[in-house]
Amino acid sequence: MICRDLITKLAAENALSRREWVFLWSNYSPEDRAYAASAAGRIAEKIFGRNVFIRGIVEFSNFCKNDCFYCGIRRSNSQVVRYNLSDEIILECCQSGWENGICTFVLQSGEAAEFDLERMCALVRKIKAQFAGCAVTLSLGELSFEEYAALRNAGADRYLLRHESADPVHYRKLHPVSMKLENRLQCLEHLHQLGFQTGCGVMLGSPFQSAESLAEDMVFMQEFKPEMIGVGPFIPHRDTPFGKFASGTLDSTLFMISLCRLMHPQVLLPATTALGTLQANGRVLGISSGANVIMPNLTPRAVQENYNLYDNKKHTDRAIGEAVSLLQQELSCINYSLKAGRGDFGG
């Protein structure tokens, strides 16, 4: 019964203590998860109605200087066919989304060894000029304050940088020694300072994750107050050091989505592609658990399979118009609808 009491407290106060978070993650039951999902769904509906914001994601490059132990496009994976889309193709991807009611474009890549700031700023300006009133979200990894500032000045609205783990010991087990948690957290602070709508996030079920490390994640997100939170399950990639670890579970990921909604009622919270990889209706279950964003893939089909961060990633094998129509059909089964527009935090 006490887990349910903690969920009720979270819904009322939007915060728990570190000790309470540890207890909740150590002891929750399927019934507690369902209770949290019901509470989160009511809060999401009260704030957003039965609407789901739509964004189009363009995975424009899979080159990466990092060697994260869980990631399929890690630097050491020689099996990856590397690619880097031209500006013209990226704009064509955005055009296909724009023609189907998508007004937010998410540009995502690996972390380039030599980041071309001038090119990226020019690309952001082109997108903002060509698609008047759109929002541009970037997910390019760790950059300097000056680089973030230049991207913000060019017109970028949002930035996604999943922190993966706020527990320093756990973080070190997921990343090479060259990567520092303190630097990642500093980047998130810089993004907030510059006025980006900022997103962090976690993988559920990543190797060596514990109730204590999850409690650190919840306390960090509680205090940081992100505008976006990306929550997805860990799914192994065969060509990584973690290739033989078990996947995270759908239930734990849905529980995290619900807890994030209760903690930050206004947050933008995607039902990720990885949920759909674990289970065909995973994204719909994410919406039912409190998520309010969905992101169809605008990346050209010819290169989508080369952006496999994990095995069996679900790809969009249809034209974007058909993909959006199918998403709407899935959501209509739970009486939700896709909502056009930028879908800004607090807007």
Side-chain angles (χ1 to χ4, degrees):
M1 183 63 181
I2 193 166
C3 284
R4 182 168 292 200
D5 292 342
L6 289 175
I7 293 166
T8 301
K9 178 182 177 181
L10 180 64
E13 301 179 11
N14 310 127
L16 295 176
S17 69
R18 182 177 278 99
R19 183 177 178 181
E20 288 171 328
W21 281 121
V22 172
F23 184 93
L24 185 57
W25 278 111
S26 300
N27 295 284
Y28 78 93
S29 67
E31 292 75 21
D32 295 323
R33 190 200 71 73
Y35 179 73
S38 178
R42 288 195 301 271
I43 288 173
E45 183 175 354
K46 181 179 179 181
I47 296 171
F48 305 103
R50 300 189 73 85
N51 297 307
V52 178
F53 296 123
I54 186 170
R55 286 83 159 89
I57 187 166
V58 183
E59 299 159 335
F60 68 89
S61 175
N62 66 352
F63 284 91
C64 193
K65 66 181 180 183
N66 292 333
D67 229 6
C68 304
F69 302 146
Y70 50 82
C71 184
I73 63 169
R74 66 195 303 259
R75 185 186 68 235
S76 294
N77 187 1
S78 61
Q79 303 303 307
V80 178
V81 178
R82 305 288 176 176
Y83 72 91
N84 191 1
L85 299 181
S86 67
D87 290 3
E88 290 73 23
I89 291 177
I90 294 170
L91 288 167
E92 289 174 7
C93 294
C94 294
Q95 181 67 41
S96 69
W98 187 256
E99 291 171 355
N100 287 279
I102 295 174
C103 302
T104 290
F105 306 112
V106 182
L107 305 186
Q108 179 174 303
S109 72
E111 294 197 29
E114 295 182 7
F115 179 63
D116 191 340
L117 179 63
E118 184 176 345
R119 178 218 175 181
M120 190 53 58
C121 287
L123 179 59
V124 170
R125 292 190 187 98
K126 288 177 187 176
I127 292 172
K128 299 286 282 193
Q130 185 167 331
F131 308 106
C134 77
V136 174
T137 302
L138 301 177
S139 183
L140 314 174
E142 297 177 14
L143 301 172
S144 69
F145 181 89
E146 292 74 19
E147 288 169 323
Y148 287 141
L151 292 166
R152 182 76 179 119
N153 290 335
D157 303 278
R158 307 173 189 146
Y159 202 102
L160 299 171
L161 183 66
R162 293 211 315 191
H163 67 280
E164 306 299 3
S165 177
D167 174 2
V169 174
H170 184 222
Y171 187 89
R172 285 198 300 272
K173 292 180 178 180
L174 303 179
H175 303 92
V177 294
S178 59
M179 296 183 68
K180 308 294 183 185
L181 175 59
E182 53 266 36
N183 187 63
R184 205 160 191 87
L185 299 184
Q186 183 66 70
C187 286
L188 286 167
E189 288 291 344
H190 287 164
L191 290 164
H192 252 179
Q193 290 169 22
L194 289 164
F196 281 98
Q197 293 177 44
T198 305
C200 57
V202 187
M203 290 184 297
L204 270 294
S206 59
F208 315 111
Q209 192 176 65
S210 64
E212 288 75 15
S213 62
L214 284 167
E216 292 299 325
D217 288 317
M218 303 312 290
V219 170
F220 165 69
M221 293 189 289
Q222 196 169 272
E223 295 174 350
F224 181 65
K225 294 180 172 56
E227 287 78 23
M228 303 175 286
I229 299 177
V231 173
F234 164 75
I235 302 176
H237 190 289
R238 61 188 177 278
D239 297 322
T240 70
F242 290 164
K244 294 185 178 180
F245 280 77
S247 294
T249 66
L250 181 65
D251 280 355
S252 65
T253 309
L254 295 175
F255 190 49
M256 173 68 95
I257 288 173
S258 299
L259 296 178
C260 288
R261 173 62 61 208
L262 298 176
M263 180 171 59
H264 292 312
Q266 297 274 355
V267 77
L268 298 168
L269 191 57
T272 63
T273 301
L275 286 173
T277 297
L278 284 185
Q279 189 168 303
N281 66 338
R283 289 191 293 186
V284 169
L285 292 174
I287 299 300
S288 297
S289 298
N292 67 327
V293 173
I294 207 157
M295 299 194 295
N297 200 336
L298 303 178
T299 310
R301 281 171 279 179
V303 299
Q304 278 188 34
E305 65 180 17
N306 299 322
Y307 204 88
N308 277 352
L309 307 183
Y310 48 84
D311 283 341
N312 303 314
K313 181 181 175 186
K314 194 173 183 180
H315 298 298
T316 302
D317 56 1
R318 297 175 173 85
I320 187 60
E322 186 180 354
V324 169
S325 177
L326 287 172
L327 277 175
Q328 181 57 75
Q329 290 176 36
E330 288 181 50
L331 291 172
S332 66
C333 293
I334 56 171
N335 297 315
Y336 273 77
S337 299
L338 291 174
K339 184 175 177 62
R342 288 169 51 108
D344 287 300
F345 177 83

